[in-house]
Amino acid sequence: MTSPAPAPGDARRYSRITGTGSHLPPRRLTNADMVALLAARGLETSDEWIVERTGIKARHFADDGVNASDLALHACRAALQAAGRTADDVDLIIVATSTPDMVFPSTACILQNKLGANGCMAFDLQAVCSGFVYALSVADAMVKAGGVQCALVVGAEVFSRILDFDDRTTCVLFGDGAGAVVLEASDEPGILATELHADGKHVGILCVPGTVAGGSVLGDPLLKMDGQAVFKLAVGVLDSAARAVLAKAGRSEADVDWLVPHQANIRIMQGTAKKLKLPLEKLVVTVDEHGNTSAASVPLALDVAVRSGRIQRGHTVMLEGVGGGFTWGAVLLDF
Ligand code: UT7
């Protein structure tokens, strides 16, 4: 629980994470399961290829009829419980997702109703795999501006719904899940600095190039990725975002206790840690068990590290996102 927050407009008004939660759908598919699934479609893959190129050993897929808001609901309940809060305390919900329940209304509104937090602000934010870092930065600004005391910031995805199981270069990479944090106004930090970027000239390297019009799907509603192009861009922008957010906060690499990057590929994550001269023990890794859960990956990894006792109160944590758009960003915080 945080102490009473300074009044709106007070420079000492900070935002602070007071609880984390996450949820994975129970259906777990190992790489062996993916080998069998692809073989049935006449495609080859192997556990060795997937582990060596990505670090992924398993991913979770939601059952039919289970949507992003359902996964988010579990994550939010756990986060609220950890913060000692109830749905009545929440005055803002932001859901970062690229796999919303419906075209509209927002998944945040659907989640709000399931939580029983009716009446508060609620909206979705679309920044693909950078979505949670974007959403946390927006919520931080809204808390500091004074209009919000207690926010639920969520990343929730059912990427299994937009995978092309005839494309072995992408379908083995992604999974479903949700993570959430409770962010509250506080007189102590908290979020120290945020850094967000986008470059729309790279729209085509990671996209779902379809839409709905006249009662039909127009274009292709399945995920396309130029993996090598994304890889190269990700390595560069994750490093620059990390350095920029540290500079903004007046901190150095040596101050970072934990790096929680977007969980897409172990090689990218380890490369980022090495460039920052962080020992690999400070890198939180869940990609092996979760696969790439897009906007859910960072809050899922954060919650796993908190609940396992690694991330503790007072630790300095760097969160990093990168993904379609192209979008990227970082948040530095004292937990
Ligand atoms: O969430 C947003 C951020 N996303 C990312 O950060 C993803 C970034 N990209 C990556 O992680 C990697 O580029 C991949 C994991 C997607 C691919 O790894 P790669 O080392 O770049 O492999 P590649 O695309 O160069 O493919 C190497 C070979 C190819 O065969 P040839 O042409 O060398 O004969 C592919 O056809 O691996 C083949 N291949 C596969 N083989 C077995 C591609 N997919 C598979 C597969 N199983 N599933």
Side-chain angles (χ1 to χ4, degrees):
M1 195 83 75
T2 50
S3 49
D10 189 322
R12 290 169 299 126
R13 185 180 168 95
Y14 299 102
S15 78
R16 186 151 197 241
I17 292 176
T18 55
T20 66
S22 64
H23 180 73
L24 292 165
R27 189 154 57 102
R28 178 177 179 270
L29 284 89
T30 62
N31 288 347
D33 295 324
M34 295 307 289
V35 170
L37 197 151
L38 266 65
R41 307 173 86 95
L43 295 174
E44 259 183 58
T45 189
S46 66
D47 177 53
E48 294 71 31
W49 189 93
I50 302 171
V51 171
E52 190 186 305
R53 302 286 174 136
T54 70
I56 297 168
K57 294 177 183 157
R59 74 288 292 143
H60 291 246
F61 285 173
D63 287 333
D64 291 348
V66 174
N67 292 321
S69 67
D70 298 307
L71 304 181
L73 179 63
H74 289 288
C76 287
R77 283 188 175 144
L80 285 168
Q81 190 176 31
R85 293 292 184 193
T86 69
D88 288 340
D89 297 315
V90 175
D91 48 22
L92 167 68
I93 300 172
I94 308 180
V95 176
T97 186
S98 301
T99 47
D101 292 19
M102 301 181 191
V103 173
F104 72 81
S106 68
T107 301
C109 285
I110 298 167
L111 169 67
Q112 183 206 50
N113 190 44
K114 287 178 179 173
L115 272 169
N118 305 63
C120 73
M121 268 183 283
F123 62 92
D124 285 2
L125 189 152
Q126 222 300 23
V128 201
C129 303
S130 310
F132 182 78
V133 164
Y134 261 70
L136 193 59
S137 304
V138 170
D140 170 57
M142 291 176 78
V143 168
K144 282 178 179 153
V148 173
Q149 291 293 323
C150 178
L152 264 173
V153 186
V154 189
E157 302 281 16
V158 281
F159 255 57
S160 59
R161 306 278 156 76
I162 53 167
L163 295 179
D164 180 354
F165 289 98
D166 288 317
D167 176 7
R168 68 174 184 169
T169 69
T170 54
C171 74
V172 299
L173 305 175
F174 294 88
D176 303 339
V181 303
V182 175
L183 189 76
E184 296 192 53
S186 167
D187 59 358
E188 50 178 324
I191 291 184
L192 302 168
T194 66
E195 179 79 17
L196 300 178
H197 295 276
D199 187 346
K201 75 170 172 282
H202 301 293
V203 161
I205 63 172
L206 179 47
C207 57
V208 176
T211 189
V212 187
S216 311
V217 173
L218 290 190
D220 190 335
L222 299 177
L223 184 147
K224 312 275 169 251
M225 180 167 75
D226 177 345
Q228 286 191 4
V230 172
F231 193 107
K232 273 183 213 148
L233 267 175
V235 169
V237 299
L238 286 171
D239 188 50
S240 62
R243 290 179 198 286
V245 83
L246 283 168
K248 260 189 193 171
R251 301 276 181 107
S252 77
E253 292 91 326
D255 297 321
V256 177
D257 294 305
W258 297 102
L259 175 63
V260 187
H262 172 47
Q263 307 282 317
N265 187 316
I266 190 74
R267 292 184 288 146
I268 298 176
M269 293 158 60
Q270 289 180 342
T272 304
K274 275 182 198 154
K275 280 187 172 186
L276 292 171
K277 297 193 171 56
L278 293 182
L280 292 182
E281 303 78 62
K282 292 187 171 189
L283 178 66
V284 176
V285 177
T286 52
V287 71
D288 53 340
E289 271 300 312
H290 300 177
N292 180 346
T293 58
S294 192
S297 93
V298 169
L300 258 164
L302 178 66
D303 185 52
V304 166
V306 168
R307 283 175 194 265
S308 66
R310 280 173 287 166
I311 295 182
Q312 295 175 9
R313 283 276 161 234
H315 283 176
T316 299
V317 181
M318 185 184 293
L319 311 179
E320 285 205 278
V322 60
F326 210 66
T327 56
W328 66 97
V331 173
L332 190 73
L333 59 93
D334 282 343
F335 191 74

